[in-house]
C-alpha cells in the first residue's frame, strides 16, 4: 500500500465528472427508502428485499463498483498519465493494491454504507437485516472492484464490458438461470455474509443459494484478479504512437 | 560513467516495423534524437524508459536491463510527449507526489528545488487543468527531475513552447548535460537539436541513419545533391551553360513543369553560379526554387547513403 498512489487515485476518481454518479446512485436509494417509510406503516421484509436486495445489492453495488474499479486505473491508462506512477521504483503489486483499496473504499462509502443506513432508516433500528445487507454490499464491493480493476488494465472498453456484466449477467441471467448463481459475485457475497454474520443474514432474507464453494470462489477472484492485474500492469503498452 | 547502450534493437507491431535494428550508445551530455514524425523516436524513447519491450535486441543502462526493472527509475527520469496529467491537482502537488513516490528523504525540499529549476514557482499553486502547453511541459520536467536522475529522457520537449520558454529549456538541458547527466531528447527540427545537443542521432523510418556531432550532421545534410526547378526566358540555352559548370551534376528539360530540373552537386557554388551564368547569356531567370528542402527528403538522403 502506497499512500501517494492512493491519494492520486482518490483525487482523480472524485475529481472527474463520473464522480457525480457516486452521489446520484445512493441518493436514489435514500429517496426510495424515505418514500417507502412514509407510505407504509411498517416496512416489511418484502419491501426491504426489493429496495436493498434487488436495487441495492443487485444494481447499486455493481454499478458503483464498475465506476470505482475501472475509474481507479482505466482513465490513467487511457490518457497515459499512469506513466508518472509507473516511472517510479515501486512494486507493481503495490500500485495495484493501493488503487484497489481506494476503489473498494469508495464503493463501500457510496454503496454499502448508504445501504446500511437505509436499512436502519427502514427498520427503525440497527437491525440484523441492516448489518446483513451492509456486510453483503461491502463483501460484494471487494470482489467486484478487483474484477473491474483487472478489466480496466486489460481492456480499453472496461466500462462497457463491466456494465454489461453487472446488468446482464448478475441481474438478469443470475436471477432466472439458477445454475449461473454459482458464478455470481452477488451470490458469493451472500454466502460469505451468511458465514460472517450468521442469523442476521436469514433475518434479512439473505439465504445463500450457493454452498461453501462460494467462499473459495470469492477469495480466488479477489486474489487472482489482483495478481493478474499486477502481471498485466508490468508489461502494459504505453505510447504506441510513432 | 553512465550510459545507455542499445544493441540491435528492433520493435515491430504486427507487420509494421517501428524501430529497425538500432545500435547506439548514449553517454553523458546532451544528445538529440532527430528524425521526421513517425520515424520511431517515441517508440525508441519508450523502450529506453522501460515502457515497451524491444521485439529483439537489448537496452541496458549501465549493464542493467531497463525492461521490467522498476529499480532503474531511481536513476532515470522521463518526460513523455503526451500532455495529460493529473488535472485536478496543483503543479506543486504533482511534483510533491513524484518526490514521495520516489521515497525521497526530504520530498518538500526536492519539490522546491525542482519547481525553481523549471521556474514554475509562480504557477505552482494552480490546478494543472489551467496550465498552458508550455507550463505542462515544465511541470512534467520538474516531476522528472525531482529525484535528480542520472538519465533524463525527453520526448519532443520543445513542442508548444514559446521562444522564451524554449530558451529557458535549452539553458536547463545544457546545464544538466554539463553536469555530466545523460540527457536525450527527441525533435524533428534540426535547428532545435543543433542549439542544444553536442551529439545527434538521426532516426529515419525506424532506422539509425546517421550519428555524430552537429557539424558532421549539418555537413552531411548540406553536401547532399540539391534539386532545383529553374524557369527562364531560354531554358535550353541555360541548360547547356549549367551542365558545363562544375556545380551541377544533371540538368533535365522538363516541359511538364515548364522549366529545368537541375541537380546541384555543391549547393553553395550552384546558387552563386546560376545568376552569373544566366546574366552572361542574357537569359532572364523567372523562377528558381528548391524541390526537396523538406526535412523528409534530407533524411531520406541520409538513409540512402
Amino acid at each position: 500500500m502506497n499512500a501517494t498512489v492512493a491519494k492520486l487515485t482518490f483525487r482523480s476518481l472524485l475529481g472527474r465528472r463520473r464522480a457525480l454518479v457516486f452521489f446520484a446512485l445512493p441518493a436514489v436509494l435514500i429517496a426510495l427508502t424515505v418514500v417507502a417509510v412514509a407510505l407504509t406503516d411498517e416496512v416489511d421484509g418484502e419491501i426491504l428485499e426489493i429496495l436493498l436486495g434487488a436495487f441495492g445489492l443487485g444494481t447499486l453495488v455493481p454499478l458503483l463498483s464498475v465506476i470505482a474499479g475501472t475509474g481507479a486505473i482505466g482513465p490513467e491508462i487511457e490518457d497515459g498519465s499512469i506513466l508518472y506512477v509507473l516511472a517510479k521504483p515501486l512494486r507493481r503489486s503495490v500500485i495495484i493494491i493501493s488503487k484497489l483499496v481506494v476503489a473498494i473504499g469508495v464503493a463501500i462509502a457510496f454503496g454499502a454504507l448508504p445501504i446500511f443506513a437505509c436499512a436502519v432508516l427502514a427498520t427503525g433500528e440497527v437491525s440484523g437485516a441492516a448489518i446483513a445487507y451492509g456486510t453483503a454490499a461491502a463483501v460484494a464491493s471487494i470482489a467486484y472492484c478487483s474484477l473491474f480493476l483487472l478489466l480496466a488494465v486489460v481492456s480499453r472498453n472496461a466500462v462497457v464490458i463491466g456494465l454489461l456484466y453487472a446488468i446482464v449477467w448478475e441481474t438478469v441471467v443470475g436471477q432466472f438461470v439458477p445454475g449461473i448463481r454459482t458464478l455470481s459475485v452477488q451470490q458469493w457475497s451472500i454466502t460469505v455474509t451468511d458465514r460472517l454474520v450468521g442469523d442476521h443474514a436469514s433475518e434479512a432474507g439473505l439465504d445463500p443459494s450457493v454452498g461453501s464453494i462460494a467462499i473459495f470462489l470469492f477469495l480466488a477472484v479477489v486474489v487472482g484478479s489482483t495478481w493478474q492485474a499486477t502481471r498485466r500492469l508490468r508489461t502494459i503498452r504505453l505510447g504506441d504512437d510513432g | 560513467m553512465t550510459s545507455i547502450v542499445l544493441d540491435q534493437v528492433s520493435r515491430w507491431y504486427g507487420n509494421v516495423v517501428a524501430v529497425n535494428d538500432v545500435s547506439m550508445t548514449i553517454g553523458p551530455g546532451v544528445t538529440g534524437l532527430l528524425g521526421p514524425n513517425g520515424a520511431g523516436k517515441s517508440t525508441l524513447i519508450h523502450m529506453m524508459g522501460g515502457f515497451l519491450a524491444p521485439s529483439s535486441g537489448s537496452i541496458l543502462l549501465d549493464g542493467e536491463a531497463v525492461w521490467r526493472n522498476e529499480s532503474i527509475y531511481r536513476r532515470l527520469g522521463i518526460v513523455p510527449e503526451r500532455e495529460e496529467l493529473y488535472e485536478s491537482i496543483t503543479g506543486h502537488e504533482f511534483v510533491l507526489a513524484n518526490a514521495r513516490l520516489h521515497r525521497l528523504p526530504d520530498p518538500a525540499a526536492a519539490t522546491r528545488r525542482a519547481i525553481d529549476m523549471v521556474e514554475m514557482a509562480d504557477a505552482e499553486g494552480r490546478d494543472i487543468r489551467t496550465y498552458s502547453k508550455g507550463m505542462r511541459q515544465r511541470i512534467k520536467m520538474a516531476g522528472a527531475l525531482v529525484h535528480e536522475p542520472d538519465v533524463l529522457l525527453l520526448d519532443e520537449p520543445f513542442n508548444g513552447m514559446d521562444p522564451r520558454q524554449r530558451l529557458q529549456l535549452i539553458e536547463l538541458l545544457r546545464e544538466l548535460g554539463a553536469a555530466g547527466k545523460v540527457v536525450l531528447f527527441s525533435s524533428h527540427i534540426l535547428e532545435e537539436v543543433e542549439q542544444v545537443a553536442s551529439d545527434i542521432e538521426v532516426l529515419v523510418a525506424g532506422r539509425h541513419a546517421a550519428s555524430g556531432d552537429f557539424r558532421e550532421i549539418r555537413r552531411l545534410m548540406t553536401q547532399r545533391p540539391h534539386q532545383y526547378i529553374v524557369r527562364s526566358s531560354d531554358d535550353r540555352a541555360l541548360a547547356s551553360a549549367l551542365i558545363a559548370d562544375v556545380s551541377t551534376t544533371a540538368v533535365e528539360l522538363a516541359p511538364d513543369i515548364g522549366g529545368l530540373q537541375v541537380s546541384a552537386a555543391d549547393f553553395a557554388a550552384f546558387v552563386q553560379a546560376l545568376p552569373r551564368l544566366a546574366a552572361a547569356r542574357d537569359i532572364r531567370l523567372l523562377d528558381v526554387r528548391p524541390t526537396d528542402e523538406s526535412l523528409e527528403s534530407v533524411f531520406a538522403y541520409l538513409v540512402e547513403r
Side-chain angles (χ1 to χ4, degrees), chain A residues 23-58:
Chain A
F23 292 95
L25 282 173
V28 171
L29 179 71
I30 292 166
L32 287 175
T33 309
V34 169
V35 170
V37 170
L39 292 183
T40 49
D41 299 335
E42 195 189 352
V43 178
D44 59 12
E46 201 180 334
I47 293 178
L48 272 190
E49 246 169 76
I50 295 171
L51 264 182
L52 306 179
F55 180 69
L57 291 181

Side-chain angles (χ1 to χ4, degrees), chain A residues 93-128:
Chain A
S93 54
V94 171
I95 297 174
I96 291 291
I97 289 169
S98 307
K99 287 184 168 295
L100 182 58
V101 167
V102 171
I104 293 170
V106 167
I108 288 177
F110 290 94
L113 283 183
I115 285 175
F116 173 77
C118 286
V120 172
L121 187 67
T123 56
E125 54 175 348
V126 182
S127 54

Side-chain angles (χ1 to χ4, degrees), chain A:
Chain A
M1 183 76 189
N2 180 294
T4 311
V5 175
K7 198 173 153 194
L8 283 174
T9 305
F10 184 74
R11 294 285 291 263
S12 47
L13 250 187
L14 292 188
R16 287 171 202 263
R17 225 177 317 158
R18 63 168 73 188
L20 287 179
V21 183
F22 288 134
F23 292 95
L25 282 173
V28 171
L29 179 71
I30 292 166
L32 287 175
T33 309
V34 169
V35 170
V37 170
L39 292 183
T40 49
D41 299 335
E42 195 189 352
V43 178
D44 59 12
E46 201 180 334
I47 293 178
L48 272 190
E49 246 169 76
I50 295 171
L51 264 182
L52 306 179
F55 180 69
L57 291 181
T59 309
L60 183 70
V61 172
L63 279 182
L64 284 171
S65 302
V66 169
I67 301 161
T70 61
I73 197 164
E76 275 174 77
I77 292 176
E78 207 159 299
D79 71 17
S81 57
I82 189 87
L83 184 139
Y84 299 102
V85 174
L86 291 178
K88 300 291 181 295
L90 283 177
R91 289 223 307 277
R92 276 27 184 169
S93 54
V94 171
I95 297 174
I96 291 291
I97 289 169
S98 307
K99 287 184 168 295
L100 182 58
V101 167
V102 171
I104 293 170
V106 167
I108 288 177
F110 290 94
L113 283 183
I115 285 175
F116 173 77
C118 286
V120 172
L121 187 67
T123 56
E125 54 175 348
V126 182
S127 54
I131 292 171
Y133 274 114
T135 309
V139 169
S141 301
I142 295 172
Y144 281 129
C145 284
S146 38
L147 260 179
F148 295 138
L149 191 103
L150 167 65
L151 198 58
V153 175
V154 177
S155 168
R156 305 257 156 136
N157 302 313
V159 177
V160 176
I161 301 172
L163 285 177
L164 283 176
Y165 170 82
I167 294 164
V168 178
W169 186 268
E170 289 285 341
T171 347
V172 183
V173 184
Q175 270 177 17
F176 297 110
V177 189
I180 281 176
R181 287 189 189 151
T182 319
L183 295 177
S184 156
V185 170
Q186 197 185 327
Q187 296 303 324
W188 301 343
S189 65
I190 289 173
T191 303
V192 173
T193 303
D194 181 64
R195 298 294 192 277
L196 285 177
V197 297
D199 294 344
H200 294 327
S202 41
E203 188 184 326
L206 289 175
D207 296 316
S209 59
V210 186
S212 297
I213 182 123
I215 296 166
F216 169 76
L217 289 171
F218 168 79
L219 290 174
V221 158
V222 173
V223 175
S225 303
T226 310
W227 180 78
Q228 179 66 3
T230 301
R231 220 174 64 91
R232 293 295 291 259
L233 185 67
R234 196 167 286 143
T235 57
I236 199 158
R237 247 160 72 166
L238 288 176
D240 288 352
D241 41 319

